């Protein structure tokens, strides 16, 4: 069966510090991978998605970036965090073809102080 | 543009009763998928049910069922015999199975409270 991991679960970072959130998927190959952000009490905002290694599409211009160094690894980064980067970050995966539902990791709660 | 609308920001139901959450969507496509996701207080997003647009039969998963009205572009979720563990945010999502913009489009969610 497939599982998706995210870490860390919680992170408190000062403004201007760097960020690295990691997501890995087990039990499948060549998944589509997604990063979402969710503000408190709000819906999901798609940040990045990837259909393969090194292939990243950005949905929202901002100071965040994403990378996919391995088939089942997806990393969300920032060089300098802003207060507005606070939120709940969710990683998700889906199969590349066929069924299109996305499966989510447990999320990372980021607070920028 | 494709959009998903959940017109009920908050709903409540008595334990063991039935509740229906509404979702409408706007699209010109004929081939697509629809989903309901549940987000409990832990905030992990969980897939509840999915519906293929080409299937006329409404999807069911145990106590969860949908009423899919393609012409009306409506996709409601019915929860039968509500349990305390059903309390969560519920999100409706649409996925176009054609074109270049193949990404999930999300509604803003409905917060469901289950009263004992």
């Amino acid at each position: 069966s497939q599982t998706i991991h995210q870490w860390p679960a919680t992170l408190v970072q000062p403004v201007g510090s760097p960020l690295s959130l990691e997501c890995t998927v087990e039990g499948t190959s060549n998944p589509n991978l997604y990063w979402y952000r969710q503000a408190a009490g709000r819906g999901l905002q798609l940040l990045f998605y990837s259909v393969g290694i090194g292939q990243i599409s950005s949905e929202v211009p901002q100071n965040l970036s994403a990378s996919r160094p391995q088939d089942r690894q997806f990393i969300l980064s920032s060089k300098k965090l802003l207060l507005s980067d606070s939120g709940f970050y969710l990683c998700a995966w889906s199969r590349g073809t066929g069924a299109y539902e996305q499966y989510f990791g447990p999320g990372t709660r980021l607070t920028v102080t | 543009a494709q959009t998903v609308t959940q017109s009920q920001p908050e709903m409540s139901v008595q334990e063991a009763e039935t509740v229906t959450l509404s979702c409408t969507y706007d699209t010109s496509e004929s081939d697509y998928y629809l989903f309901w996701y549940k987000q409990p207080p832990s905030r992990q997003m969980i897939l509840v049910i999915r519906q293929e647009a080409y299937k006329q039969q409404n999807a069911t998963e145990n106590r969860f069922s949908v009423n899919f009205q393609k012409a009306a572009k409506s996709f409601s979720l019915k929860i039968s015999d509500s349990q305390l563990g059903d309390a969560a945010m519920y999100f409706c999502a649409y996925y176009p199975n054609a074109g270049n913009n193949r990404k999930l489009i999300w509604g803003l969610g409905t917060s469901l409270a289950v009263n004992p």
Side-chain angles (χ1 to χ4, degrees):
Chain A
S1 64
Q2 300 85 13
T3 56
I4 178 169
H5 304 279
Q6 273 187 257
W7 65 90
T10 304
L11 192 60
V12 179
Q13 293 282 92
V15 167
S17 64
L19 173 74
S20 181
L21 303 181
E22 189 164 343
C23 171
T24 58
V25 180
E26 296 178 355
T28 188
S29 59
N30 197 29
N32 292 338
L33 296 172
Y34 309 84
W35 277 112
Y36 288 91
R37 178 169 58 203
Q38 185 180 32
R42 304 293 296 274
L44 277 73
Q45 179 186 35
L46 179 63
L47 301 176
F48 302 94
Y49 69 95
S50 171
V51 299
I53 296 175
Q55 301 178 61
I56 310 293
S57 296
S58 174
E59 289 296 300
V60 182
Q62 58 208 330
N63 70 321
L64 298 173
S65 62
S67 62
R68 185 170 177 174
Q70 300 180 41
D71 181 44
R72 291 169 288 175
Q73 184 185 28
F74 206 23
I75 297 172
L76 183 69
S77 304
S78 174
K79 293 181 179 179
K80 290 185 178 182
L81 284 168
L82 306 172
L83 286 174
S84 57
D85 291 324
S86 293
F88 190 64
Y89 288 82
L90 287 157
C91 180
W93 74 274
S94 68
R95 290 182 177 83
T97 58
Y100 300 104
E101 57 265 33
Q102 294 178 14
Y103 299 94
F104 287 78
T108 295
R109 187 181 307 275
L110 172 66
T111 304
V112 182
T113 60
Chain B
Q2 297 149 338
T3 58
V4 175
T5 301
Q6 294 179 249
S7 59
Q8 307 150 316
E10 297 179 351
M11 294 276 288
S12 64
V13 63
Q14 290 296 124
E15 196 175 3
E17 302 273 302
T18 295
V19 64
T20 298
L21 308 184
S22 300
C23 173
T24 58
Y25 56 96
D26 185 22
T27 184
S28 58
E29 303 289 342
S30 60
D31 185 9
Y32 51 87
Y33 295 82
L34 295 162
F35 306 96
W36 278 98
Y37 281 85
K38 170 185 177 181
Q39 189 178 37
S42 67
R43 300 194 74 177
Q44 177 151 15
M45 199 72 73
I46 302 165
L47 177 66
V48 175
I49 201 165
R50 90 173 204 168
Q51 175 80 43
E52 293 92 335
Y54 63 85
K55 288 186 176 180
Q56 293 185 345
Q57 186 173 6
N58 290 324
T60 62
E61 287 289 340
N62 301 313
R63 298 182 295 107
F64 298 87
S65 62
V66 298
N67 183 6
F68 174 47
Q69 302 288 327
K70 190 172 184 178
K73 298 179 184 175
S74 171
F75 182 60
S76 60
L77 175 69
K78 185 172 80 171
I79 307 174
S80 304
D81 186 26
S82 296
Q83 301 175 359
L84 295 177
D86 294 334
M89 281 288 288
Y90 286 83
F91 292 93
C92 179
Y94 160 95
Y95 183 90
N97 197 27
N100 296 323
N101 194 29
R102 296 195 188 190
K103 295 182 286 290
L104 271 177
I105 299 169
W106 297 84
L108 293 181
T110 296
S111 178
L112 177 65
V114 180
N115 304 314

